[in-house]
Amino acid sequence: MDRCFLELRIDGEEAYQTFQRVIENVNVIMATYEDPQLGDVQVYPDKGTVAFSAGLHGWAFTLTNFAKMYASRFKVDESKMMERLWGENFFDTATRKWTTKNTGSATCKRGFVQFCYEPIKQIINICMNDQKDKLWAMLGKLKITMKSHEKELMGKALMKRVMQTWLPASDALLEMMIFHLPSPSKAQKYRVDNLYEGPLDDVYANAIRNCDPEGPLMLYVSKMIPASDKGRFFAFGRVFSGKVSTGLKVRIMGPNYVPGEKGDFVKSVQRTVIWMGKKQETVEDVPCGNTVAMVGLDQSISKTATLTNEKEVDAHPIRAMKFSVSPVVRVAVQCKVASDLPKLVEGLKRLAKSDPMVVCYMDESGEHIVSGAGELHLEICLKDLQEDFMGGAEIIKSDPVVPFRETVLERSCRTVMSKSPNKHNRLYMEARPLEEGLSEAIDEGRIGPSDDPKVRSKTLADEFGWDKDLAKKIWCFGPETTGPNMLVDMCKGVQYLNEIKDDVVTGFQVASEEGALADENMRGICFELCDVVLHADAIHRGGGQIIATARRVLYASQLTAKPRLVEPVYLVEIQAPEQALGGIYNALNQRRGHVFEEMQRPGTPLYNIKAYLPVIESFGFSSTLRAATSGQAFPQCVFDHWDMMPSDPLVPGSQAAGYVANIRKRKGLKEQMTPLSEYEDRL
Amino acid sequence: MDLELNFEISRTAEFILSRGFSRVALQFPDDLLKHSTKVVTCLRNKLGSGNKVGLFVMADTTFGSCCVDEVGASHINADCVIHYGHTCLSPTSTLPAFCVFGKASISVSRCIEKLSSYVGTNGKPIVVLYGLEYAHAISQIKGALVEAMPNAEVELIFSDVMCSIINPLEDHGKSDGLVGCLAAATGTRYSLGGLTWDLPEGRRMENYLLLWIGPENSAFSNVVLTFNGSEIVRYDATEDRLVTDVSQQKRILKRRYYLVERAKDANMVGILVGTLGVAGYLHMIHQMKELIMLAGKKAYTLVMGRPNPAKLANFPECDVFIYVSCAQTALLDSKEFLAPVITPFEAMLAFSSGSQWTGTYVMEFRDLINSSQLEVRKRPEEARFSFLKGGYVEDFEPQENEGEDNDRALALANATEKALQLRDRGPDSLVKGIAKSGAEFFVTRSYHGLETHANSSMPEPYLIGRSGKASGYEDERSEPETL
């Protein structure tokens, strides 16, 4: 709001219109998240669910503030006053009458403008002009007292202080929380359906539903907050049921915990703390409905976790938070001094803990990789890593690297064959691209290895036009048994095929993780095992013979099916005034980006632009964009989808071939791709 | 080629005669096998016709050809082994051995020219190491290099060949670590791959420039890994050039580091017996087994000669293999292997909780035996962070044997409880569980060997089997010659 008064200096009516539109926009977005259990999630200023704020200056108000003030003056109900302060309600100071239409007279103004906007504007103006006599008089009327040293302030600082005293943001926010957010005991009644992974009628679900302080402990840790002593973290979360107390032994379930299996830890809570702003207060215990920070669990929680009582081993975890962004940009880090390696390792562990998004791991060549959502995110992470988690030890980071995927464009041009090392076994295979949308379906988990085969074959047949019998013959998914590639058995009447299935699957898992082009994961390839010839003697068709052969034949079929690289693509949103559009288009075009939506925001000279931009081209994009538009445009990038690169990586000199060569070099592979003849054998 | 000189016939004969050996095994690597007959003839002439010394040629050794093949030699009851060609000079356990390194040609003058020009630009003190095949020329090089050095300020240390005669170690426990350092009165003694050298007190290998004369082979990568903190320059005698870029070798170190991380996530470990000769290998294998068991993992010991991808792929249940062998054959890394193959040192890093890689690297396991005793470890406080998965994992708990006797009854109950976990996955699901032992792995496989047709509950009618011999059953009598 501060911009309305200080920079834009728009008048009340115009400001009202702008606010109205913003609120409408918000409501449109909110409508997409509507959930009957949540009830009405739309916001209305006249119900006090909208706060008008100047975040920079730290003040805010809801209409309730003003309604209270004026209700006594007009001798009307507060709620009645609230209604008058928003919408089509006008007040004429000359006639002192409310109307629902603008009468056209100069003194007739909208309620909001008359009673909220104008007074604020007036005070701000007085402050900015340092008309202190007038100011004290007005403040006196508003019953605002300033401290004596604050009275010395001038101009903007004075205005800030006055506004903060008059309309403190914290009050407005807290008021909204108190009046409009449901209490945990109310909210958990419906939230339990979304929160709890286990059966909704077990004792834990009921405890959450009733927010039962006597029930079993259910606590969700959502964040690890770095503590003041280096290297330690508070586990911060909400108690959904039961009570957590100092010294309690809790069972910790990580985000990927599968009930009934190993992977949970038992730790005792050393201290329970309530965070109060910047301060912390140690308390004996914290019952349900509250947030809590715990000391002593940080070594067992990586990012988020569900805590229960030690003995309650049958409790299921609370659903993990999902992020709408995924880590697609990574850098390799190493320490400048080799002996700092333990520090780096320790630092990476802590980084992985403190940021729920970032992923730290090690790649095949032994490089430590930090993977984040974007360039900026990584920059912040690495800064934290170096300064907070490694005590300032110097690190070297590589240029950002983008993961690619390997796919195929069409069906293999012929059935390829590979022989086992002893030449007694032959595998015949073809590769083809998966149907459009199928990879995404596997990504989302709609189709996966643990589905009921009947359901899976029905989905595949109905949505993707698979043959029903074929759908039953999926041997596995990969990589990691869940990835978006498949191995399908198309053989007819082959003896001993069941014996080599496991070995072929093992080979497939390896091959789909490291494709033939650049050792990147495969994506969207369906491999069809067409025929096999096996040695009659079991000892000659063991794993040693089959696994490596399966891998070779998979590579051969990939290479004969027009292999392509797949790259990650950002969805970029840019808001900019019209005159900056030319620069934006230029900047995008230079980087293989393309705009697919351009919309003027109604009532503003601003345009909303949505574009796709390959992640690999996005490094330094925001600064290019700033330069091209003289600072008028800022991009917001979110990973959106995988996109196939049209150029053929097998043709030397093509762009894809260049990427492949780069990746291979980075990974320390031979720069030349292994030729097809290495994988395919002839009869 | 001057056989006499190259194969050191007279020295060999002297060795045999002086010790009075009567049965001698000559071990040739594959590339020298073609000379074996000539060598035997020469040697027999040298020994004199009246002497009744049995000479036997051994070829195609089971394990690496750099080690002395004691098992092969004991087939013919040999009492000593003459080893030809490239060797790692690993100590033997039962038989004395005499190593003939061979003599590779090297142009001393050109070598000096290259070395001195480089040394001149680099102010660091120098340690010169070399492939054993160049040992014959080293004294010449040394003299010439000292002469050629413009300023005598640069410290120059030449390593010495320890000894070409290997005597079996009676008690390897007492041996004072052939690799690593002996605190001698004058300074620190290092030895590696048959070379020894002394550093003055207070100096460390990191301060020195390492000069390696020889080809890029396993001995060299051994040096690079062991002294990864030092600057290393290699002189290639066959191509007559200096190689200052050893980044490819440094890459190996990183790769090994990755393999250690892989090993940490492993549940089943295969111990590959890669030697039957190097002293202390049995001790090492036992130590590895104990280590793996303490880490809560399952160990299987496999003997398969020289491992290759096809052989190892027959054991898909093993997540990682430990290759117990001599230092120079220990580094096996190929993408063809499905599971990483690591050295005992790396296994120690991976499986003893809380240990961290500090940059040092030990290749020869005799040194490991000396340096690390298995201390009693308590369970680590922290869950282990897996750098492969990018998150925390809990390791399979080691079999708790610290529990008191009265816990015994409970322990069984707990174990059964663990075993009887609910498995809601149907047989048709394509996900494989994480197996903790070979038997569990086998259960997750779809093919279990013989198919039992459970759905046909009807008893099969009995059939009368064949009688007679396999060469011709009684019912086959009528048509004997159909083959």
Side-chain angles (χ1 to χ4, degrees), chain A residues 260 264-265 267 302 345 360-366 368 449 475 498-499 502 519 544 547 551 666 668, chain B residues 251 254-255 257-258 261 310 313-314 335 338 356 381-383 385 387 390 392 394 421 428 430 445-447:
Chain A
D264 49 345
F265 318 92
K267 282 275 140 68
S302 55
V345 170
C360 301
Y361 63 99
M362 187 185 275
D363 76 354
E364 288 268 303
S365 60
H368 286 284
W475 268 5
N498 54 347
E499 289 183 34
D502 294 295
D519 260 14
I547 295 176
R551 201 169 111 181
R666 193 185 77 226
Chain B
R251 242 194 150 105
K254 269 193 179 163
R255 170 80 186 165
Y257 183 36
Y258 165 77
E261 288 295 327
N314 281 321
K335 287 195 76 79
L338 280 173
Q356 253 172 344
E381 279 297 295
E382 193 174 0
F385 188 89
F387 268 103
Y392 283 82
E394 190 176 31
Q421 273 162 3
D428 285 322
L430 303 175
R445 283 177 69 104
S446 64
Y447 175 67

Side-chain angles (χ1 to χ4, degrees), chain A residues 150-164:
Chain A
E150 290 170 350
K151 293 185 179 174
E152 307 291 310
L153 297 169
M154 300 289 275
K156 212 168 186 168
L158 176 70
M159 180 274 293
K160 237 165 123 173
R161 196 61 225 141
V162 169
M163 291 307 291
Q164 280 168 6

Side-chain angles (χ1 to χ4, degrees), chain B residues 352-400:
Chain B
S352 29
S353 52
S355 65
Q356 253 172 344
W357 190 319
T358 48
T360 52
Y361 203 93
V362 184
M363 293 292 303
E364 301 197 31
F365 58 70
R366 282 164 294 123
D367 196 49
L368 274 179
I369 297 173
N370 298 329
S371 63
S372 63
Q373 298 304 322
L374 286 175
E375 69 269 34
V376 183
R377 258 173 271 102
K378 61 177 197 291
R379 291 271 292 145
E381 279 297 295
E382 193 174 0
R384 195 173 57 75
F385 188 89
S386 160
F387 268 103
L388 292 177
K389 302 196 180 82
Y392 283 82
V393 291
E394 190 176 31
D395 293 319
F396 193 53
E397 274 180 41
Q399 303 303 320
E400 291 112 0

Side-chain angles (χ1 to χ4, degrees), chain B residues 406-415:
Chain B
N406 54 355
D407 273 356
R408 280 272 169 83
L410 266 180
L412 181 66
N414 286 338

Side-chain angles (χ1 to χ4, degrees), chain A residues 37-38 181-196 200 202-220 237-243 286-292 318:
Chain A
Q37 288 182 325
L38 276 177
L181 288 186
S183 80
S185 68
K186 217 190 271 172
Q188 282 172 211
K189 279 203 172 54
Y190 57 81
R191 285 188 71 192
V192 66
D193 302 1
N194 291 327
L195 280 172
Y196 190 54
L200 290 173
D202 71 0
V203 51
Y204 307 102
N206 280 332
I208 296 177
R209 186 173 294 120
N210 301 330
C211 194
D212 183 1
E214 305 302 323
L217 174 68
M218 290 299 283
L219 193 160
Y220 185 72
R238 176 183 284 276
V239 190
F240 284 104
S241 73
K243 212 186 274 184
V286 177
C288 55
N290 294 293
T291 56
V292 62
I318 287 170

Side-chain angles (χ1 to χ4, degrees), chain A residues 310-437:
Chain A
E310 183 190 7
K311 300 274 178 248
E312 280 144 4
V313 285
D314 53 339
H316 288 241
I318 287 170
R319 201 155 288 162
M321 292 189 290
K322 272 209 185 111
F323 295 97
S324 53
V325 281
S326 55
V328 280
V329 181
R330 43 194 195 187
V331 291
V333 291
Q334 51 178 318
C335 28
K336 228 173 197 161
V337 189
S339 54
D340 278 344
L341 184 66
K343 267 192 203 165
L344 177 68
V345 170
E346 199 54 38
L348 287 173
K349 284 185 201 171
R350 291 186 193 151
L351 176 65
K353 189 176 286 196
S354 72
D355 189 313
M357 258 292 297
V358 79
V359 183
C360 301
Y361 63 99
M362 187 185 275
D363 76 354
E364 288 268 303
S365 60
E367 304 256 13
H368 286 284
I369 307 285
V370 180
S371 168
E375 214 185 353
L376 187 67
H377 178 223
L378 272 181
E379 203 172 295
I380 297 164
C381 287
L382 292 183
K383 190 168 161 285
D384 282 355
L385 174 68
Q386 186 170 357
E387 288 171 9
D388 297 347
F389 303 129
M390 287 178 63
E394 279 190 81
I395 50 173
I396 310 168
K397 65 165 184 138
S398 70
D399 287 334
V401 169
V402 177
F404 281 83
R405 296 284 187 266
E406 296 180 16
T407 193
V408 293
L409 192 60
E410 46 191 62
R411 179 175 279 277
S412 297
C413 55
R414 60 174 182 273
T415 307
V416 290
M417 183 272 284
S418 297
K419 286 183 197 166
S420 63
N422 63 11
K423 318 284 182 218
H424 285 305
N425 306 285
R426 292 180 211 141
L427 302 180
Y428 294 83
M429 187 151 323
E430 279 179 27
R432 65 172 179 86
L434 282 179
E435 283 76 5
E436 208 173 320

